[in-house]
Amino acid sequence: MATALWSCSENQSIENKIDEQVKPQNRNMQHHSQGPGKPVIYQVFTRLFGNKNTTNKPWGTIEENGVGKFSDFDDRALEGIAELGTSYIWYTGVPHHAVIRDYREYGISLDDPDVVKGRAGSPYAVKDYYNVNPDLADDPAKRLQEFEALIQRTHKHGMKVIIDIVPNHVARNYQSTSAPKGVVDFGAHDDTSVSYDRDNNFYYIVGEEFSVPQSQDYQALGGDSHPLLDGEFVEVPAKWTGNGARKAQPDMHDWYETVKVNYGVKPDGSYDFPKLPGEYREQDYNAHFTFWQDKDLPDSWYKFEQIVHYWLDKGVDGFRFDMAEMVPVEFWSFLNSSIKRKKQDSLLLAEVYNPDLYRDYIQLGLMDYLYDKVGFYDDLKAVMQGHGDTAKLEINQSQLSDIEQHMLHFLENHDEQRIASPDFAGSAEKGKPALVTSALISRSPTMLYFGQDVGEDGSEEPGFGDPTRTSIFDYIGVPAHQRWMNNGEFDSGQLSEQEVALRQFYVDVMNISAYHPVMTGEYVGLHGLNNDLDNGYSKLQFAFSRFNEDQALVVISNFAEEAVNVDLQLPIDLVVQWKLENGSYTLIDLLSDEKVNLNISEQGLKSSIQLNLPANASKILELTFSKSVIGD
């Protein structure tokens, strides 16, 4: 009879089990992961994380609503983040972007509210790539040193650091006051008499001045006054807007606070640089790097190479690239091969939403990971909302089987609605079976957004934008997260009993994802077989197995609002592969320590795991093979 890997008392947490059995002593022992499992990326909106102020006045100032600082990520905070199995922290909003706050005494120019979204500004309208947001520093004059200290603290706690790079666009008022000697600002040498030149950093609307977009429904700063708030912004000639709008007066729904960067793509869409031959899909980063060395390339390519090398030298371990598909894949081959040559284990994560481009940006663009949004996330969201079919999850997994290890899974991020918001699922409990499915189904990393683990619902009324998404544009507090933070104790001290249980559930599942050895093993779907049987299984349940030569996990989740009894079947070929003979095998649910029997009969033609699944619940059932089961 097979026995489970972990034999534990009922009050012992999953994290402790993994500590004893699986978790390595050196959390940085493997590339892109701190253990035998796979990476966990914790996205935190840096200026909101440590904010203890609960006022949340719409359009509130820092003085009214408060702001978090780099220093809020102290040892206790970082320990709390690490509890979730975190290997990388994505500090969102670090590069210096336009903000509505007077920092002129530090040599920083005022930003114009007419071309800034919100009072705190968009983190994707970067104003100076060679420094950090002064809002985040205790002493703005030492803001870069404070971020460097945060990098060191993060490393001390066994985690690595990711920051945003936004090659597609920069702030309309980009001007670096911190660039190293020899670095030339974007646009400084542009020929503005032409709409396009290969070595211009921007595109121009020759003969026209920029005009601020107009809307009857929007008042910058909520109607408050500001020295520069006059409905005007001087830009002659006007530049193309970040999303590609070619009008001197962009629309309010355009990315009007940003300008499009030129990579040698002509206005008609043709390329002014060499194409990357298709055979480079099979080549490593060294071959890509060599290919570009004797090429004459657009100026913007080299400017961003200088930027990423600057941050690597500061100790940053990787980058999240915003809207990567809006920049040609050849540029990514150039940039990412340069990054890998400098720091081979850098993590490169990109936002690409066109599935037809996934393989190009992985194989030619050398991205480590892409968002699996248009597909897995969207299908999983529909299931959580009660109108989806779990069969689509299996289809998505199959369609991406050749690149699944490169497709980042997530349930929340700064662009998406909070699970608990009424417009999404209305309850964090509905996210629990989705977390199990998303985090364990593939070899890809899992990303968590701060506050997700305690059920933050995004209901704050910040100013710019609508509730359901935690604001990235304004100064606010994040209530559920603040209850976990407990005035800087980071001990869950103000959480409700239900929130504490939710947090522990996230800790348990994410530690399995991060540390369990089968997470880098094989996958087999169990959905198709069971959905065809009259065994209590329906489109609101989803099951699969992950396994290696030593052990297996059988995972089943119930997305229904009521409990179900399921007689789960295993495919015959899987029973044969696992070399399971007639008899009863004991599996243990890693979430509850419950023992469950797997019964094999008729020489493997019949298998049965009888389960009761509560509403919005999952079982993660572990089976350990004898040494001779697989691979002899």
Side-chain angles (χ1 to χ4, degrees), residues 357-399:
L357 298 177
Y358 287 170
R359 289 164 183 82
D360 285 351
Y361 279 79
I362 293 167
Q363 296 162 359
L364 296 175
L366 300 179
M367 297 298 181
D368 292 319
Y369 306 113
L370 307 180
Y371 281 24
D372 196 347
K373 180 192 184 303
V374 181
F376 193 84
Y377 167 84
D378 286 345
D379 290 338
L380 193 54
K381 181 175 182 178
V383 172
M384 283 188 276
Q385 292 178 321
H387 58 84
D389 186 338
T390 53
K392 291 186 176 181
L393 304 177
E394 183 65 32
I395 293 170
N396 184 272
Q397 187 72 5
S398 175
Q399 289 175 338

Side-chain angles (χ1 to χ4, degrees), residues 32 39-42 86-90 160-162 317 345 347:
H32 285 183
V40 174
I41 299 172
Y42 182 90
T86 302
S87 38
Y88 290 84
I89 302 180
W90 167 15
K160 297 184 178 183
V161 172
I162 302 170
D317 303 292
D345 64 350
L347 185 144

Side-chain angles (χ1 to χ4, degrees), residues 265-287:
V265 180
K266 298 177 183 179
D268 65 4
S270 61
Y271 287 177
D272 215 351
F273 50 82
K275 289 281 289 183
L276 185 66
E279 59 263 28
Y280 278 83
R281 290 183 186 276
E282 308 299 328
Q283 303 295 318
D284 66 9
Y285 67 87
N286 287 304

Side-chain angles (χ1 to χ4, degrees), residues 184-208:
V184 179
D185 249 4
F186 286 98
H189 293 164
D190 279 9
D191 178 359
T192 62
S193 68
V194 296
S195 61
Y196 167 83
D197 182 274
R198 192 201 71 163
D199 289 313
N200 278 356
N201 300 131
F202 304 124
Y203 300 91
Y204 295 92
I205 307 169
V206 178
E208 296 187 55

Side-chain angles (χ1 to χ4, degrees), residues 161-197:
V161 172
I162 302 170
I163 64 170
D164 290 284
I165 298 292
V166 192
N168 179 66
H169 50 271
V170 296
R172 200 167 283 278
N173 60 332
Y174 187 95
Q175 49 180 295
S176 177
T177 59
S178 308
K181 185 177 180 180
V183 172
V184 179
D185 249 4
F186 286 98
H189 293 164
D190 279 9
D191 178 359
T192 62
S193 68
V194 296
S195 61
Y196 167 83
D197 182 274

Side-chain angles (χ1 to χ4, degrees), residues 403-419:
I403 57 170
E404 55 85 23
Q405 69 270 31
H406 297 286
M407 302 305 297
L408 176 85
H409 283 187
F410 62 89
L411 300 180
E412 290 185 357
N413 63 50
H414 68 278
D415 284 324
E416 306 299 339
Q417 295 170 320
R418 293 287 194 173
I419 295 168

